Amino acid sequence: MQNATGPVFLADCPTRLAVEIISDKWAALVLFGLSQRPRRHSELVGLIGEISRKVLTQTLRRLQQYGLVERRAQAPRRVEYSLTDLGRTLVEPIEVLTNWARDHGEAVVDFQEAAEAAASAQARAAH
């Protein structure tokens, strides 16, 4: 990453690509869902929850384009998705983020709720 004025701020820096991949709403969950074993599309829908089949398909295709996920058709109606070797390299960083969320997520929610309450109080006072 270098320092604050280093390559991380350049448009072609690989760090931007990593952030682009991970910042997709569903990508980290899909990658983590595939970290244990290959899964079928319907399995991922059930595992992740709240993701539509269409969005899951789009996410899987995007992850395939990055070389992180591979699609294997084992029979005409049996398709599984699995992580590539490159995709497996993201499991540990995703686990680190998951642990951070587990340890600090409540504090973030508390802050958000306090900020919303302050904004509501300020809006009431303005009227």
Side-chain angles (χ1 to χ4, degrees):
M1 257 174 92
Q2 290 196 1
N3 62 27
T5 59
V8 72
F9 293 103
L10 298 177
D12 62 348
C13 177
T15 302
R16 286 191 181 203
L17 178 60
V19 170
E20 179 182 318
I21 293 167
I22 294 298
S23 67
D24 176 89
K25 180 176 182 176
W26 300 106
L29 292 172
V30 170
L31 291 167
F32 196 69
L34 294 172
S35 68
Q36 302 299 312
R37 61 183 173 81
R39 296 183 189 269
R40 296 182 69 185
H41 192 276
S42 57
E43 267 187 285
L44 286 168
V45 169
L47 180 68
I48 295 170
E50 295 184 24
I51 188 171
S52 71
R53 291 182 171 280
K54 178 184 175 184
V55 170
L56 176 58
T57 298
Q58 291 169 340
T59 302
L60 285 165
R61 285 182 183 156
R62 193 168 30 258
L63 293 171
Q64 282 178 267
Q65 290 171 347
Y66 288 131
L68 304 173
V69 168
E70 70 180 351
R71 179 184 188 271
R72 284 192 228 138
Q74 298 175 334
R77 306 274 292 154
R78 177 131 176 112
V79 175
E80 283 188 339
Y81 296 88
S82 61
L83 293 180
T84 62
D85 289 341
L86 183 60
R88 279 189 278 287
T89 65
L90 280 172
V91 173
E92 186 178 342
I94 291 170
E95 286 176 342
V96 169
L97 287 171
T98 301
N99 291 336
W100 181 89
R102 190 174 309 123
D103 294 344
H104 303 288
E106 190 174 325
V108 171
V109 170
D110 290 347
F111 182 84
Q112 288 176 315
E113 289 172 355
E116 288 173 15
S120 293
Q122 194 173 28
R124 284 192 302 275
H127 290 317

